[in-house]
Amino acid sequence: DMEQAAKQVAYGVMQSLVPALLSYGRQQYIEMQLLSKKKLTMRDDPLTGMFTADYLMDRAYVLNRAEIFPTTIIAVKLKHWKETVKKLGKESGDILVQLTASILGKVAEKDYLIGRMQDDVFAVLIPLVKRGETEGYLKRVDEECRMYKDSVVAPSLAMGITATANKLDDVREKIKEAMEQLPQ
């Protein structure tokens, strides 16, 4: 029931507010998801709620000792994270890291181990991986990332993938190998 001129003014105001509201809402949603999942402990990265690098390496050692293989290792790096922090600030960089952690965790099976290895690098361990499971996980991650492609803070990921084939392969070494595949 608004006049055309008033509709145009309201539309202009909404166009400028929508990106900011979406970004704020997304940050709030991610924080609530992470906090509702579990209480943070020393084994958890404070920003993402994922395992710390040290704890994930301990879990990798346990996989070796238990002779659990095959295990797929996926190293995930946020492309353009440093540029985002430079242009939009540390908070935007943190939102991007939280969003990526949320995506990696959301599409993972309950037995996957996910840790934050560096500021913008994660590692995903898939123990006793089945045929096609890695590809299915990567496809789900890609689909989730595409949902954010038009937003101001959108995750773009580079990945390195390795796997253990037998009990002689060290998961910790395979994590390092997967991380070496990532662009610098």
Side-chain angles (χ1 to χ4, degrees):
D1 294 340
M2 295 174 71
E3 293 180 20
Q4 191 63 19
K7 282 183 182 179
Q8 292 293 351
V9 170
Y11 181 76
V13 170
M14 290 304 293
Q15 286 294 74
S16 63
L17 288 177
V18 167
L21 290 172
L22 286 174
S23 178
Y24 176 76
R26 190 175 303 114
Q27 179 182 6
Q28 294 300 312
Y29 173 77
I30 291 168
E31 287 176 4
M32 292 307 294
Q33 289 291 94
L34 292 173
L35 292 175
S36 69
K37 265 188 176 174
K38 57 185 171 182
K39 294 189 182 226
L40 297 177
T41 63
M42 289 306 290
R43 69 181 197 167
D44 299 316
D45 176 65
L47 181 63
T48 64
M50 297 294 173
F51 293 141
T52 61
D54 290 339
Y55 188 79
L56 187 71
M57 291 304 250
D58 287 344
R59 298 296 87 203
Y61 177 73
V62 169
L63 290 174
N64 282 340
R65 296 273 306 184
E67 296 181 2
I68 295 175
F69 64 89
T71 297
T72 295
I73 297 93
I74 306 169
V76 180
K77 181 179 176 81
L78 278 158
K79 294 180 187 174
H80 317 296
W81 177 77
K82 289 179 183 172
E83 292 84 5
T84 300
V85 171
K86 239 182 232 179
K87 285 183 193 173
L88 303 174
K90 183 182 181 315
E91 284 132 9
S92 293
D94 288 351
I95 290 170
L96 190 56
V97 168
Q98 289 173 329
L99 178 59
T100 302
S102 175
I103 289 170
L104 294 174
K106 178 181 176 183
V107 301
E109 299 293 328
K110 65 180 179 183
D111 60 334
Y112 292 12
L113 303 170
I114 306 172
R116 184 173 177 210
M117 305 307 284
Q118 298 169 1
D119 288 337
D120 59 343
V121 177
F122 294 87
V124 180
L125 307 181
I126 306 176
L128 299 174
V129 65
K130 298 168 202 72
R131 174 172 272 145
E133 187 174 6
T134 302
E135 294 80 6
Y137 178 70
L138 295 175
K139 183 179 178 184
R140 292 189 304 272
V141 168
D142 185 54
E143 288 169 358
E144 286 291 319
C145 287
R146 275 192 265 148
M147 289 177 48
Y148 297 95
K149 72 177 180 176
D150 295 328
S151 88
V152 175
V153 180
S156 176
L157 308 176
M159 298 191 188
I161 302 172
T162 59
T164 61
N166 57 51
K167 67 182 181 181
L168 301 177
D169 289 337
D170 187 339
V171 178
R172 294 170 297 177
E173 290 302 315
K174 292 292 185 175
I175 290 171
K176 292 174 187 170
E177 208 175 287
M179 290 176 64
E180 287 170 1
Q181 294 176 16
L182 298 174
Q184 296 304 318

